[in-house]
Amino acid sequence: MSKKYTGYLGSYTKKTSEGIYRFTLDTEQKKITDVEVAAKLNNPTYVTVSQNNDYLYAVSQEGEEGGVAAFSIADGNLEKLNSEVTAGSPPCHVSVDSKNRLVVAANYHTKQVEAFQANEDGSLQAPTSVTHEGSGPHERQEKPHLHFAGYTPDEKYIVVVDLGSDTITTYSPNGDELEEVSVLTVKAGSGPRHIAFHPSAPYAYVMTELSNEVIVLKYDENTGTFEEVQYVATIPEDFTENNQGSAIHLSSDGKFVYAGNRGHDSIAVFRIAADYTVELVEYTPTEGNWPRDFVLDPSEQFIVAANQESSTLTLFERDSESGTLTLLQKDVEAPEAVCVKFLHA
């Protein structure tokens, strides 16, 4: 059966981008079409869609202030509800729980994780925040640089990944207050960026930006604690140019991990073994420059990659048995696209 899925793109607006873009993935034609402006917004570098597809939350910059903007979604169209901003740089990552009650945002520049309670209509209240401290040995680790804030699978905890201090911190949400539960310090200088949980087993997979590795973690859902299991490189040993790890995603059958490489400009495909460690399957070129994000579509038959520096999208078909990716479409114009999300199936 032919299906068309609606996707959204977060972007920088430093050059030609006007904000959040919308596009269509036609699964029968196997192509991306109709990339168009969905909402004009300054530097909406990350977006997330509520589980019921009623709301979209986006990073937002308003003059010298930064925060999160809330939109309602109707027939794919976005209508702004409100925004909550405070002095300083905008965050770089935003998540929302499945019941659309609490939006959390990680801020790379201000060292803070923010929690915004959502109102019944999807609009946001002013946030509370927690400030991180710490540093690491790399030149980019002079202070905390929070790069991810999201929920554990049971939504009991919120996990914050800090590239600047090599930490993964678990918080327990109490209303809009975040109470620290545990802190895992990973390999010094690795620069953890994003985390993705296994769909059915107590494991999680972290992408590092500075050391270009996937870290496999065992996760205790009772205590919210993590334990290191494995480190695996995401780029070939002989690749010596600048590379910065980007996004990480798992297939919902729990068989494959996909990790993005900016510089090597590839998606590394890993198979998940019986003991939940990973082994490399292949590197797939993204046919564009600086793939900051990618996503599996709702059918998981396709992957869409957003190449920031070439302002392009690339479409791949995914083999669910081998995990491998086959190029279908490249050079789809998408100004300064740095985040890609679909409406949920």
Side-chain angles (χ1 to χ4, degrees):
M1 192 175 113
S2 171
K3 277 215 167 190
K4 292 184 178 180
Y5 295 116
T6 299
Y8 295 94
L9 304 171
S11 74
Y12 278 105
T13 54
K14 296 174 180 175
K15 300 171 187 170
T16 60
S17 169
E18 295 183 76
I20 301 170
Y21 285 74
R22 179 177 56 205
F23 68 93
T24 301
L25 171 61
D26 187 320
T27 62
E28 187 178 39
Q29 300 288 331
K30 296 186 179 182
K31 65 188 296 188
I32 295 167
T33 62
D34 306 322
V35 181
E36 59 190 358
V37 178
K40 293 190 176 182
L41 200 64
N42 198 19
N43 287 327
T45 55
Y46 206 88
V47 301
T48 194
V49 176
S50 65
Q51 196 64 45
N52 61 7
N53 291 332
D54 286 346
Y55 307 106
L56 179 143
Y57 297 98
V59 167
S60 179
Q61 184 176 6
E62 299 178 12
E64 299 298 306
E65 296 184 316
V68 177
F71 294 84
S72 64
I73 305 173
D75 298 325
N77 297 312
L78 300 182
E79 185 174 325
K80 190 172 179 181
L81 297 170
N82 78 324
S83 59
E84 282 292 339
V85 294
T86 50
S89 299
C92 64
H93 188 277
V94 59
S95 299
V96 61
D97 67 321
S98 62
K99 294 185 171 64
N100 213 66
R101 290 175 182 161
L102 192 68
V103 173
V104 289
N107 198 306
Y108 185 89
H109 297 284
T110 68
K111 309 190 292 185
Q112 291 179 325
V113 52
E114 294 181 308
F116 306 76
Q117 280 194 311
N119 299 310
E120 286 291 320
D121 67 353
S123 62
L124 297 174
Q125 299 178 23
T128 62
S129 65
V130 176
T131 303
H132 279 218
E133 297 300 335
S135 60
H138 192 279
E139 61 183 8
R140 286 181 52 204
Q141 294 180 309
E142 79 292 351
K143 67 175 185 179
H145 288 302
L146 281 57
H147 220 306
F148 175 99
Y151 289 86
T152 56
D154 60 5
E155 299 189 345
K156 182 178 173 183
Y157 300 112
I158 288 163
V159 177
V160 176
V161 182
D162 182 351
L163 182 151
S165 63
D166 296 316
T167 57
I168 295 160
T169 304
T170 308
Y171 289 97
S172 175
N174 180 10
D176 62 355
E177 297 288 335
L178 302 183
E179 298 169 357
E180 185 180 301
V181 173
S182 74
V183 181
L184 172 71
T185 301
V186 295
K187 189 167 78 178
S190 58
R193 176 184 170 96
H194 279 196
I195 189 169
F197 283 84
H198 192 280
S200 58
Y203 286 84
Y205 300 81
V206 173
M207 182 66 179
T208 69
E209 180 168 327
L210 303 179
S211 67
N212 305 299
E213 292 170 297
V214 169
I215 311 174
V216 182
L217 301 176
K218 192 163 185 358
Y219 171 61
D220 187 323
E221 56 195 21
N222 295 315
T223 61
T225 56
F226 294 94
E227 177 188 330
E228 292 157 285
V229 175
Q230 184 191 26
Y231 285 76
V232 180
T234 65
I235 52 173
E237 271 183 34
D238 58 0
F239 186 81
T240 55
E241 296 165 51
N242 175 42
N243 189 78
Q244 296 175 24
S246 59
I248 186 165
H249 297 289
L250 273 68
S251 56
S252 64
D253 60 8
K255 291 181 179 177
F256 299 100
V257 174
Y258 296 89
N261 290 306
R262 297 172 293 177
H264 190 250
D265 293 342
S266 66
I267 296 173
V269 183
F270 295 91
R271 180 180 289 104
I272 298 176
D275 63 356
Y276 302 102
T277 59
V278 298
E279 52 191 30
L280 181 72
V281 175
E282 66 172 11
Y283 307 106
T284 303
T286 62
E287 306 292 338
N289 187 0
W290 214 248
R292 184 171 170 126
D293 196 21
F294 62 90
V295 70
L296 284 77
D297 81 302
S299 73
E300 299 198 359
Q301 187 185 343
F302 304 96
I303 279 183
V304 178
N307 300 294
Q308 177 181 344
E309 295 299 334
S310 53
S311 288
T312 58
L313 301 180
T314 307
L315 177 65
F316 300 95
E317 188 161 28
R318 192 181 81 90
D319 186 314
S320 61
E321 292 303 311
S322 66
T324 55
L325 305 179
T326 303
L327 177 67
L328 292 175
Q329 191 182 11
K330 62 179 181 176
D331 300 329
V332 179
E333 193 174 333
E336 299 171 83
V338 292
C339 173
V340 53
K341 287 281 187 290
F342 280 100
L343 289 179
H344 303 283

